Amino acid sequence: MTEEFFIEQRGRVLVCTLNNPAMRNALSPEIYQSAFASLEEAENDPGIGAVVYTGAGGFFCAGGNLNRLKADRRRPKSEQRARVELLNRWVDKMRRFPKPIIAAVEGAAAGAGFSLALGSDLIVSAEDAVFAMSYVKVALNPDGGGSAFICRGLPHQLAAELMFEGGKISPQRLHSLGIVNRICGSGQALETAVTWATKLADGPTVALGRIKSLLEKGYPGSVLEQLEAEANYMNDAVHHPEAWEGIEAFLEKRKPVFPRE
């Protein structure tokens, strides 16, 4: 495992921590690979019955590293696409993983961090956390399955609002919409999630795996197909002048002036 993705076992629960608080636990290809490998190992480990994702430093995940994306636009599109494929492989594994996965959100889940929370089976959120599908702020489109999960869970108009504007939404509103399962006090998300995961892990593991498979099959459309479409659009976006301006403006802390040609 990379130092930015720390795992520990608590009873029958595997706790996976995004561990780069200086970067608000931004995601990277190394994390994608480590996260995928951890699920591969946990899938066949009878001592593990559930997984919890959390972030270090009181913050869940700020999404992708924009400095890395800025550098990617100078590389061949094939290299950027390969990185997105690593993310897709992880998310696809999460959906096929035959044990419950719970996201424990403190601080914020933004961009791909929101996608990661939505890709989990269950979400526990601190009462003061925020969520944002913020890609459009830098002229990018959702990846990590974010568009698939948003469209599965919300009416078209609200899904469009969240993705068109990239604004913040509270856990209280997401709870009322059935996206966030449980809200707890600030600083209590991890322990609340581990307690819940422990209860699930002590249940019938094989039956839970079958139920998870049925849940996935019950939705129209394939997450894997949506991941493919997201990857194509993200690859185009990173190399487009709109994203060049959006990312530069964000890093320079100014309002973007998007090209209109």
Side-chain angles (χ1 to χ4, degrees), residues 80-143:
Q80 163 64 18
R81 177 57 187 253
R83 290 178 172 85
V84 177
E85 289 296 340
L86 290 175
L87 172 60
N88 287 357
R89 189 174 69 145
W90 174 23
V91 174
D92 181 50
K93 185 67 176 179
M94 288 173 63
R95 302 312 306 159
R96 293 184 295 104
F97 184 69
K99 300 169 186 179
I101 298 175
I102 303 178
V105 179
E106 296 277 355
F114 195 2
S115 298
L116 175 60
L118 291 167
S120 303
D121 299 300
L122 304 164
I123 301 176
V124 172
S125 175
E127 60 190 359
D128 56 352
V130 295
F131 297 78
M133 195 59 67
S134 50
Y135 297 87
V136 74
K137 298 284 190 179
V138 291
L140 296 175
N141 57 266
D143 62 357

Side-chain angles (χ1 to χ4, degrees), residues 17-22 24-25 54-62 104-109 126 128-130 186-190:
T17 303
L18 300 170
N19 186 39
N20 186 10
R24 294 295 179 93
N25 302 319
T54 188
F59 199 96
F60 185 68
C61 178
V105 179
E106 296 277 355
D128 56 352
V130 295
S186 179
Q188 297 176 15
L190 177 58

